[in-house]
Amino acid sequence: MAESRTVLAQTRAGKKTETTFSRLVRSGALLNLLYIPALLLFFIFIFYPFFKGIKISFTNWDGYNQDYKWIGFTNYSRMFTDPEILKVIRNTAIYGIGSAVFQNVIGLLYALFLNLNIRTRGLVRTVIYLPVIISSLIMGYIWYFFFQYQGGAINDIILLFHDQPSNLLGDPNLNVWIITFVNTYQYLGIAMVLYLAGLQSIPRDYYEAATIDGAGPLQRFAHVTWPLIAPAFTVSMVLNLIGGLKLFDVIVALTNSGPGYASASLSSIMYLLYFGREDAGYAATIGILMFIMISIVSITALLFLRKREVNA
C-alpha cells in the first residue's frame, strides 16, 4: 500500500513537472536561453576589449611589455593638441560621408535601371555585386596597380600625352578621394541590393494610379518611389556610413596612410601607432575617439532618417 502511494506521488509530480515545462515552452520563456551563447560571445569579443581599451588609454603601455605606468589623461590631452589628429578626423569624415553619399546615389541609379524589364539584368546585378565578396585588402591591391606611380595602368595612359607620370597616390589633395572612390566601387552593390528589395516591394497599382492621374516619371519617383523606399535608404545610408568611418584595409593597400599621415583614417593611424611606434596607450585613446565619433554620427543619422520615414 505504501509503495502504491509512493508511485502515485511520483507520477503526479512528473505530470506537474511536465505541465510546468510545457507551459514554459508554450510561453516562449525558454527561448531566452538561446540568447546566452550570443551574449557570451558579445561580451568576450566586444565588451571586454572595449573596457580593456579604455583602461589602456590611461597608461603608457607599448603593447608588448607586461609593465606599464598609469598616466591619467595625458594621452587625451596629447590627442587634443596633436595637429595631425584634426587632419585624420577630416579624412575619416570624407571616407564615411563621401562613400555613403556616392554609394547610395550610384546604387539607387543602378537599382532603378535594373528594376526595369531587361534581359541581362541578372548578369548585370552579379557583376555589380561581385566586388562586395572580395576582400577589401585584395581590392585595394588590385586598384593599386591602376594608380601606382611606376607602371600603373593610368600613368601608362598619361605617358602617351605627357613626359612625366602623375603621382596620384602621393598627392595629399587627391589620394583621399581615390580611396573613397575605391571603397565606393566595392560596396555600392550592397546599396543596390537594398534599393532593389525596396523597389520590388512597391505595388504596381500605385504607379498605375499615379499614371492615370497624369504623373510623369519624375513625379512618380518623387511621390511614389522615394517615400516608399525610405526604409531601404535608412538602412543603406547608416550601413555605408559606418563602413566608411571605420575604413582601414583599402587605405593600407593603396597608401599605407601616406605620405606621412595625409591619407590616414582613425583606424589606420591607430594601427600605425600600435605596431609602428609601439604606442598602444595613445592608439587606444584614438580608438575611443573613433568609437565616439562613429556612435554620434551613426545614431544621429539613424534618428534623422527614421523621422523622415514617418514623415514621408
Side-chain angles (χ1 to χ4, degrees):
M1 188 68 177
E3 293 180 356
S4 300
R5 291 178 179 177
T6 302
V7 172
L8 181 60
Q10 291 177 350
T11 304
R12 290 177 177 176
K15 289 182 178 180
K16 183 178 181 181
T17 303
E18 183 179 357
T19 303
T20 303
F21 179 79
S22 301
R23 190 183 301 112
L24 289 174
V25 171
R26 287 195 301 270
S27 66
L30 288 180
L31 294 178
N32 294 328
L33 296 177
L34 299 178
Y35 293 117
I36 294 178
L39 291 175
L40 183 62
L41 292 174
F42 197 77
F43 176 81
I44 294 174
F45 294 105
I46 302 295
F47 277 113
Y48 176 75
F50 175 72
F51 290 109
K52 188 70 174 179
I54 295 177
K55 177 183 176 181
I56 293 172
S57 68
F58 292 100
T59 68
N60 64 346
W61 188 44
D62 62 2
Y64 300 97
N65 294 324
Q66 294 183 355
D67 298 328
Y68 53 85
K69 183 180 178 181
W70 187 270
I71 59 174
F73 290 92
T74 303
N75 285 326
Y76 289 91
S77 61
R78 173 185 170 188
M79 180 179 64
F80 289 120
T81 57
D82 190 344
E84 296 291 340
I85 292 299
L86 185 60
K87 182 190 301 183
V88 172
I89 293 175
R90 179 186 67 87
N91 292 344
T92 304
I94 292 175
Y95 295 142
I97 299 174
S99 296
V101 171
F102 292 141
Q103 287 170 15
N104 280 277
V105 170
I106 301 174
L108 177 58
L109 292 176
Y110 272 128
L112 291 171
F113 174 71
L114 294 175
N115 197 44
L116 302 175
N117 190 16
I118 303 173
R119 288 184 178 181
T120 59
R121 62 181 180 179
L123 176 62
V124 176
R125 290 177 188 175
T126 303
V127 172
I128 296 173
Y129 190 80
L130 190 61
V132 176
I133 66 176
I134 300 175
S135 166
S136 299
L137 192 64
I138 300 301
M139 180 61 67
Y141 284 126
I142 291 173
W143 280 101
Y144 176 78
F145 292 111
F146 283 89
F147 293 109
Q148 66 178 339
Y149 183 75
Q150 295 290 345
I154 295 177
N155 272 322
D156 286 344
I157 298 174
I158 292 176
L159 288 174
L160 297 175
F161 305 96
H162 298 279
D163 297 332
Q164 295 293 329
S166 177
N167 191 8
L168 300 172
L169 296 177
D171 187 349
N173 298 319
L174 192 60
N175 52 19
V176 173
W177 294 104
I178 290 176
I179 293 171
T180 304
F181 162 76
V182 174
N183 186 56
T184 299
Y185 167 79
Q186 182 172 10
Y187 291 108
L188 65 86
I190 295 178
M192 178 198 69
V193 170
L194 291 172
Y195 285 126
L196 271 174
L199 289 171
Q200 292 175 359
S201 66
I202 300 175
R204 306 304 303 177
D205 297 343
Y206 292 0
Y207 291 107
E208 294 175 0
T211 303
I212 294 174
D213 290 338
L218 292 178
Q219 291 175 317
R220 290 197 296 270
F221 175 80
H223 299 288
V224 178
T225 304
W226 184 242
L228 293 178
I229 61 171
F233 178 76
T234 299
V235 174
S236 179
M237 179 62 76
V238 173
L239 286 178
N240 291 321
L241 189 61
I242 294 174
L245 289 174
K246 62 185 184 67
L247 189 63
F248 172 75
D249 308 69
V250 175
I251 301 172
V252 172
L254 288 175
T255 64
N256 198 26
S257 301
Y261 292 141
S263 59
S265 67
L266 289 172
S267 59
S268 68
I269 197 175
M270 185 168 50
Y271 166 81
L272 293 174
L273 287 169
Y274 192 111
F275 294 100
R277 294 186 179 182
E278 298 184 3
D279 197 352
Y282 190 42
T285 307
I286 301 296
I288 301 302
L289 173 64
M290 178 179 168
F291 170 79
I292 294 173
M293 180 177 177
I294 293 178
S295 299
I296 292 175
V297 173
S298 59
I299 292 174
T300 302
L302 181 62
L303 294 176
F304 175 79
L305 294 174
R306 283 289 177 87
K307 185 178 179 180
R308 173 187 171 270
E309 291 180 26
V310 176
N311 296 331

